[in-house]
Amino acid sequence: MSTETVRNDPSTAKRVTTQTLQELKAAGLPVAMLTAYDYTSARILDRAGVDVLLVGDSASNVMAGHETTLPITLEQMIYHAQCVVRAVEHALVVVDLPFGSYQSNAKKALYSAIRVMKESGAHAVKLEGGQAAAPMIKRITKAGIPVMGHLGLTPQSIYRFGTYKVRAREETEAEVLRRDALLLERAGCFAIVLEKIPATLAADVSSSLSIPTIGIGAGSACDGQVLVTHDALGLTTEFNPRFVRHYANLADEMTRAVEHYISDVRERRFPTEDESY
Ligand code: KIV
């Protein structure tokens, strides 16, 4: 079966694996990735044919209402991952290791990754960081667990950055990012998310690596793209950075539907006789 078939026909397609992503990069075919946190949404996204579903720690924002990704726990990430895995027949499911579950040492990182894989049935983990994260990535991949890296604007470091502005505009930081990307590839990552960096830098990094890059606010030359599903579907109305494209306006659609329901209930138009026993 060709890579085109793997990606374009979810009804007959094989399951997406890390190897599939490698093949897509080699064939010059972009990877489509979205976030998912619950069974019902994951089922819709998977049936639509998305290649990768990321159980992102952005669940801390969009599911739990926290201001940052820092508060979400390993147990909560495992719960979201279990919900998504139950729904998915096609996509590769990648789970974010949350803040505090991997930074202190490689042994703790491996323990957290093993818990995610064993308790959720997901296919890979993702973690943030460059040089400092390399020993954790090596340890986890040595145990047979695929790891996706994440460079650029890494939200778990927001208090160090102090701002959500574009990263690596300056050459010094860009050089560190180029070096980190190569380090992550050597450490064993199967792909790297590049978040909110200049498009030219992302293009550079993407062509220097043999593994795929997945961009978010990193321009069109990345080997794939990811968006937070709630942003792409227009559910998060207050979050409007330029890298988000709204493919629907579900917040308005939901508001209209709910207002309609409320008025039907209040005017006794719902339920009708046909909707009763
Ligand atoms: O948590 C998340 O949703 C992410 C994506 C933005 C890449 O890490």
Side-chain angles (χ1 to χ4, degrees), residues 33 35 37 54-59 69 96 126 128 150 155 193 195 216 226-228:
M33 168 162 140
T35 62
Y37 320 99
L54 171 66
V55 184
D57 59 356
S58 49
T69 58
D96 260 331
K126 173 165 93 53
E128 297 181 4
H150 187 156
V193 167
E195 180 163 355
I216 172 162
V226 58
L227 282 174
V228 169

Side-chain angles (χ1 to χ4, degrees), residues 89-160:
E89 291 171 357
H90 164 73
L92 180 80
V93 180
V94 182
V95 182
D96 260 331
L97 292 184
F99 178 68
S101 73
Y102 63 92
Q103 288 91 344
S104 51
N105 59 65
K107 194 170 167 191
K108 178 155 184 185
L110 177 60
Y111 172 77
S112 301
I114 287 176
R115 276 203 63 193
V116 167
M117 302 296 283
K118 246 183 149 46
E119 295 178 38
S120 76
H123 313 127
V125 297
K126 173 165 93 53
L127 55 84
E128 297 181 4
Q131 191 170 24
M136 288 72 169
I137 294 165
K138 277 187 195 151
R139 186 75 179 259
I140 298 171
T141 51
K142 245 191 200 161
I145 300 171
V147 178
M148 180 179 276
H150 187 156
L151 294 172
L153 178 65
T154 45
Q156 292 179 13
S157 302
I158 189 56
Y159 291 116
R160 181 162 63 80

Side-chain angles (χ1 to χ4, degrees), residues 31-231:
V31 175
M33 168 162 140
L34 282 170
T35 62
Y37 320 99
D38 69 282
Y39 174 84
T40 306
S41 312
R43 203 166 163 82
I44 294 169
L45 303 179
D46 188 54
R47 287 182 172 180
V50 72
D51 299 309
V52 184
L53 280 176
L54 171 66
V55 184
D57 59 356
S58 49
S60 182
N61 310 112
V62 297
M63 298 304 288
H66 292 296
E67 207 175 301
T68 72
T69 58
L70 275 66
I72 201 160
T73 64
L74 185 60
E75 282 67 30
Q76 288 165 339
M77 287 304 298
I78 289 170
Y79 167 75
H80 287 297
Q82 288 168 337
C83 300
V84 169
V85 167
R86 269 181 225 124
V88 167
E89 291 171 357
H90 164 73
L92 180 80
V93 180
V94 182
V95 182
D96 260 331
L97 292 184
F99 178 68
S101 73
Y102 63 92
Q103 288 91 344
S104 51
N105 59 65
K107 194 170 167 191
K108 178 155 184 185
L110 177 60
Y111 172 77
S112 301
I114 287 176
R115 276 203 63 193
V116 167
M117 302 296 283
K118 246 183 149 46
E119 295 178 38
S120 76
H123 313 127
V125 297
K126 173 165 93 53
L127 55 84
E128 297 181 4
Q131 191 170 24
M136 288 72 169
I137 294 165
K138 277 187 195 151
R139 186 75 179 259
I140 298 171
T141 51
K142 245 191 200 161
I145 300 171
V147 178
M148 180 179 276
H150 187 156
L151 294 172
L153 178 65
T154 45
Q156 292 179 13
S157 302
I158 189 56
Y159 291 116
R160 181 162 63 80
F161 296 147
T163 159
Y164 283 101
K165 282 192 188 140
V166 176
R167 303 304 311 177
R169 277 198 194 278
E170 304 300 325
E171 189 43 36
T172 331
E173 193 179 337
E175 202 36 54
V176 172
L177 193 141
R178 284 191 199 94
R179 185 207 63 197
D180 282 349
L182 288 169
L183 274 175
L184 295 199
E185 175 169 276
R186 278 188 218 123
C189 281
F190 69 89
I192 301 177
V193 167
L194 297 176
E195 180 163 355
K196 231 176 165 183
I197 61 170
T200 47
L201 174 61
D204 238 31
V205 171
S206 303
S207 62
S208 73
L209 298 180
S210 61
I211 56 172
T213 59
I214 314 285
I216 172 162
S220 62
C222 292
D223 302 302
Q225 298 292 329
V226 58
L227 282 174
V228 169
T229 296
H230 289 55
D231 299 337

